[in-house]
Amino acid sequence: MPMPAAPDDPPKTPPTKLSAPARALRKLGLARAIDLALHLPMRYEDETRLVPIASLREGDTAQVQGVVRDSRIETRTRRQLVVRVADDSGELVLRLLHFYPTHQKTLAVGQCVRVRGEVRGGFLGREMVHPEFRAVAPDAPLPQALTPVYPSSAALPQAYLRKAVASGLARAPLDEILPPAALPPGLPPLRQALQLLHQPPPGTPLETIEDHSHPAWQRLKFEELLAQQLSQGQAQAARAQLRAPMLAQRTDGLAAKLLAALPFALTGAQQRVVAEIAADLALPQPMHRLLQGDVGSGKTVVAALAAAAAMDAGWQCALMAPTEILAEQHFRKLVGWLAPLGIRTAWLSGSRKGKARQKMVEQVASGEALLVVGTHAVIQQDVAFARLGLAVVDEQHRFGVAQRLALRHKLEEQLLEPHLLMMSATPIPRTLAMSYFADLAVSTLDELPPGRTPVLTKVFADDRRAQVVARIRDEVAQGRQVYWVCPLVEESEHLDLQNATATHAELSAALPGASVGLLHGRMKAADKAAVMAQFTAGTLQLLVATTVIEVGVDVPNASLMVVEHAERFGLAQLHQLRGRVGRGATASVCVLLYTGPLSATGKARLRSMAETNDGFEIARRDLEIRGPGEFMGARQSGDALLRFADLAADGALLLRARQVAPRLLREQPQTAAAQVERWLAGRAEYLKA
Ligand code: ADP
Ligand code: MG
């Protein structure tokens, strides 16, 4: 076995000449010594002990050492190498169905071998099929530590990886950089912690390594959490240096006029968050605020009031939403509110191309359009704002980090950053808010507009479909409207469409009196909008849709929603969907149809939907079940996720890191910078978004 190349050294041969395992190492991202040192075993094998052959029991995985007494190729059922190994206590048969001459050579009669594998009771007594084995000197010492088994790939043999990791661990700069007072008490030094995790001495309680409660694990988690807090602190300090336009409200300004023209009064919660945002906008630092509020809590009007403040001060406002339907709904609502007040709103989306698009882009660049609403199209290269003062991102978690950053950088040329308001109906759990979003101001709409009736949720197996269809018939007969949501078929838009089309046909046949519409992701934007408009106008009674209706759609007369294959959806997603009903005064029902058999967690998930209508509680359960990925937004942010710490389990360590970070930043900024560099390297930029 060749020694692995030291990955930190410049390659001595051109990269194309790298051995296959060396290339595989790089593919796994194990380039630097520190990367190797942090590549932790997934389990361990105990090679520190030899078991006498006579005491082997069936089912044990054990290591024995003995001398080969007999080695022969048998061809009874199929060709195989059958070897007898004996120690002082007894004899063991090794059986190899695939073997090479080198194997025969290692297992030649008279050879002393060390063998490790699972014991079976075979025809000839105890045997091991395809054990690991190697020739050893009879007095070869046993390893002093458990043998690590690392996550690897097919091209990367364990033995090679082990050597590479051991070498990386020895070379990695792991000196203690944190002042001891900063550390939680009782944790080992970093190098020692890693040493133990890579090579636990015999007798280490492996269960505490497996459940990550071992002090060595705690040390790693704390390091990582602290680095993250420090990075957040740095970002916050950097942001405090940035300048933004001051958008002070006038008492008789546009916002006041809009407020007076609204057909409703703001809820107490809306008044509160409007004031919080207004205070931020009046400051010369860019706002970085998340507005979270359950579906239907009325975030749009809050955004409109913020936009009014910006425009009043002569600055532009951009509002970006993740889907065309949602963006268009915002557009219509905002135009309805603001056009009477003399504001011109531009519309930018992927489907608007050519001359029409060019005209919009020009209006944005000249500053003629004060308000720009759209999808990702808003952040395309060629869209340059004359004076962007406020960017609003709806359903922010559905955008990638890079996209959110792009919006912030829209104004960079002018040395002023726009204020940023992010909105989400998926509330950020507290632990997550404290870690990734430590630097984010949060406003919460914790009150729904008056007159809403909570949605009743029922969970049915799919064999009760006929009953559900009968219920739809009733609703439609009473003049109500119904959504039927088809699931997204993973990796196949084509299948989605087939399913949705088939369901549309089935329901049209079952409900002869009703007009049934179909809405799916593959339709042209204009066609989608037309179907949506028909449903909004009440010409369609039933809308069969894939998840394009997930966010923002507002039809108060819809009182029943059926979600097919509900088990395939995330909880947050189901909650979003459910929010499409219960928008009017009638009591609404959401039926979650599932196709069994369901796992215990699958059942628990759907049950929690029936148990609570509280988006915060649902988000908490979702975090428990699925981890924080969903809240971080987009897959691109996978890199930014914690690697060692687990927010659901490590609240205490997180708290400690939060206490220590500000002081370290103040008193030892260089140490803080080194800590961030060691743990986050190139990822810090993403944590800022
Ligand atoms: P979301 O927070 O889910 O984005 P929307 O902003 O779409 O919610 O608001 C949902 C509906 O409630 C809209 O029709 C909106 O006009 C209406 N609405 C918002 N605020 C109030 C209020 N204070 N009183 C009555 N209706 C309101
Ligand atoms: Mg909304």
Side-chain angles (χ1 to χ4, degrees):
M1 179 70 54
M3 268 305 287
D8 276 351
D9 300 336
K12 293 187 183 66
T13 46
T16 47
K17 297 261 176 66
L18 277 181
S19 67
R23 279 202 307 275
L25 261 190
R26 290 188 182 209
K27 245 188 165 161
L28 286 182
L30 303 177
R32 302 170 305 158
I34 182 95
D35 301 328
L36 286 159
L38 294 178
H39 190 64
L40 296 186
M42 51 187 183
R43 61 187 173 83
Y44 305 89
E45 283 171 358
D46 190 354
E47 296 179 338
T48 63
R49 291 179 306 142
L50 291 176
V51 179
I53 288 176
S55 62
L56 290 177
R57 277 165 318 180
E58 207 177 322
D60 286 354
T61 295
Q63 178 173 250
V64 303
Q65 181 168 314
V67 175
V68 177
R69 296 290 181 215
D70 184 48
S71 173
R72 67 183 62 198
I73 296 171
E74 290 184 358
T75 46
R76 272 178 309 165
T77 45
R78 57 185 280 198
R79 207 172 110 88
Q80 51 191 272
L81 183 64
V82 179
V83 176
R84 291 167 187 276
V85 174
D87 66 6
D88 294 342
S89 70
E91 220 179 63
L92 172 72
V93 171
L94 313 184
R95 196 179 292 280
L96 273 68
L97 300 170
H98 309 280
F99 58 95
Y100 296 100
T102 53
H103 295 139
Q104 283 173 277
K105 211 166 135 196
T106 306
L107 295 169
V109 173
Q111 190 70 261
C112 178
V113 289
R114 203 168 274 175
V115 181
R116 189 174 181 288
E118 191 186 327
V119 183
R120 288 212 213 157
F123 183 64
L124 301 170
R126 295 179 200 89
E127 62 176 51
M128 289 183 182
V129 179
H130 279 281
E132 290 167 37
F133 57 87
R134 61 197 170 98
V136 291
D139 55 356
L142 287 163
Q144 292 303 299
L146 302 182
T147 308
V149 180
Y150 293 105
S152 188
S153 59
L156 192 57
Q158 280 295 324
Y160 185 95
L161 186 51
R162 270 174 207 145
K163 282 187 191 162
V165 169
S167 141
L169 185 57
R171 285 179 293 122
L174 292 172
D175 42 306
E176 292 292 294
I177 53 179
L178 296 177
L183 295 168
L187 303 187
L190 185 56
R191 180 175 292 283
Q192 203 178 312
L194 282 169
Q195 191 76 44
L196 182 134
L197 293 175
H198 283 291
Q199 283 154 6
T204 306
L206 285 182
E207 41 322 327
T208 66
I209 293 189
E210 269 157 28
D211 71 10
H212 301 180
S213 66
H214 193 284
W217 255 104
Q218 298 283 312
R219 176 71 203 248
L220 283 191
K221 294 178 183 204
F222 179 74
E223 291 272 338
E224 181 179 46
L225 289 168
L226 181 59
Q228 191 199 41
Q229 290 298 319
L230 293 171
S231 163
Q232 296 275 348
Q234 288 172 336
Q236 198 163 5
R239 195 168 295 124
Q241 302 296 312
L242 296 173
R243 313 309 284 169
M246 292 164 70
L247 310 174
Q249 303 257 21
R250 285 187 290 131
T251 39
D252 57 345
L254 193 57
K257 285 188 195 131
L258 171 56
L259 208 49
L262 286 176
F264 50 76
L266 296 187
T267 63
Q270 283 170 324
Q271 287 172 21
R272 193 186 68 239
V273 306
V274 164
E276 285 166 0
I277 292 168
D280 276 4
L281 292 179
L283 295 175
Q285 279 90 42
M287 171 171 75
H288 190 224
R289 186 172 281 278
L290 175 71
L291 169 58
Q292 57 182 22
D294 213 341
V295 277
S297 61
K299 296 184 288 293
T300 316
V301 70
V302 174
L305 288 165
M311 296 186 290
D312 227 6
W315 291 79
Q316 289 171 297
C317 173
L319 191 154
M320 183 163 80
T323 66
E324 187 116 15
I325 284 198
L326 182 55
E328 191 179 323
Q329 194 156 311
H330 281 311
F331 179 72
R332 268 193 274 119
K333 199 159 247 176
L334 291 171
V335 168
W337 285 333
L338 292 167
L341 303 176
I343 298 294
R344 180 193 292 261
T345 304
W347 166 250
L348 278 174
S349 80
S351 63
R352 172 161 285 187
K353 297 199 175 78
K355 273 221 175 82
R357 175 183 161 82
Q358 195 47 43
K359 191 162 153 250
M360 288 297 167
V361 170
E362 277 161 22
Q363 287 182 4
V364 173
S366 70
E368 191 186 341
L370 276 181
L371 181 58
V372 181
V373 179
T375 57
H376 299 77
V378 171
I379 48 169
Q380 295 311 301
Q381 275 295 329
D382 66 332
V383 181
F385 286 81
R387 294 159 61 76
L388 182 61
L390 170 68
V392 182
V393 184
D394 195 15
E395 305 300 336
Q396 59 88 21
H397 62 289
R398 309 236 317 200
F399 285 100
V401 169
Q403 289 163 338
R404 274 179 277 161
L405 282 175
L407 201 47
R408 295 237 316 265
H409 292 165
K410 272 278 166 211
L411 202 64
E412 216 169 39
E413 310 78 40
Q414 302 171 33
L415 301 173
L416 283 178
E417 284 238 341
H419 295 279
L420 179 60
L421 176 65
M422 295 175 270
M423 307 201 287
S424 178
T426 307
I428 297 181
R430 212 175 78 87
T431 40
L432 208 57
M434 276 168 32
S435 53
Y436 289 105
F437 299 101
D439 182 27
L440 190 66
V442 178
S443 290
T444 305
L445 287 176
D446 51 7
E447 184 184 347
L448 293 180
R452 305 270 167 88
T453 336
V455 179
L456 180 66
T457 301
K458 300 194 166 169
V459 180
F460 288 161
D462 192 59
D463 54 16
R464 291 172 73 179
R465 210 177 164 94
Q467 200 182 325
V468 173
V469 172
R471 175 71 196 248
I472 296 179
R473 207 171 286 127
D474 285 354
E475 292 294 316
V476 169
Q478 290 175 52
R480 308 260 161 64
Q481 289 168 282
V482 179
Y483 292 106
W484 183 291
V485 181
C486 302
L488 228 71
V489 178
E490 201 67 46
E491 272 130 38
S492 172
E493 254 187 72
H494 181 65
L495 268 185
D496 284 355
L497 181 52
Q498 246 179 24
N499 282 357
T501 314
T503 306
H504 177 255
E506 175 202 329
L507 292 172
S508 302
L511 301 162
S515 20
V516 184
L518 175 63
L519 194 65
H520 59 77
R522 282 233 189 149
M523 287 163 66
K524 288 207 185 94
D527 297 339
K528 278 191 218 167
V531 172
M532 225 29 246
Q534 284 177 304
F535 191 67
T536 310
T539 358
L540 291 175
Q541 280 86 52
L542 173 61
L543 184 63
V544 176
T546 57
T547 44
V548 286
I549 61 157
E550 187 179 333
V551 279
V553 181
D554 190 20
V555 179
N557 189 43
S559 57
L560 172 63
M561 168 171 289
V562 183
V563 182
E564 207 176 349
H565 279 296
E567 75 281 2
R568 294 190 193 161
F569 292 87
L571 288 189
Q573 217 179 358
L574 286 175
H575 182 64
Q576 283 271 359
L577 282 170
R578 178 170 62 182
R580 300 309 112 215
V581 288
R583 302 205 144 214
T586 21
S588 299
V589 176
C590 175
V591 177
L592 303 177
L593 279 180
Y594 67 87
T595 307
L598 281 190
S599 66
T601 21
K603 282 202 187 100
R605 292 173 69 242
L606 293 185
R607 207 176 311 122
S608 36
M609 289 304 297
E611 282 164 9
T612 178
N613 272 314
D614 177 349
F616 280 72
E617 174 60 16
I618 286 169
R620 195 188 62 73
R621 297 190 191 189
D622 216 21
L623 180 69
E624 247 171 43
I625 299 169
R626 302 202 309 157
E630 179 78 0
F631 301 95
M632 294 299 299
R635 293 181 185 91
Q636 295 96 303
S637 66
D639 277 348
L641 294 178
L642 291 169
R643 190 169 156 195
F644 301 102
D646 170 2
L647 290 175
D650 297 324
L653 286 175
L654 174 58
L655 219 57
R656 169 108 195 174
R658 273 171 68 80
Q659 283 160 2
V660 172
R663 178 146 176 214
L664 203 58
L665 281 168
R666 216 168 40 239
E667 293 174 7
Q668 288 168 263
Q670 275 165 0
T671 304
Q675 179 73 3
V676 171
E677 174 60 27
R678 174 183 275 181
W679 288 88
L680 302 175
R683 295 187 287 152
E685 174 74 359
Y686 282 89
L687 291 175
K688 286 185 215 155

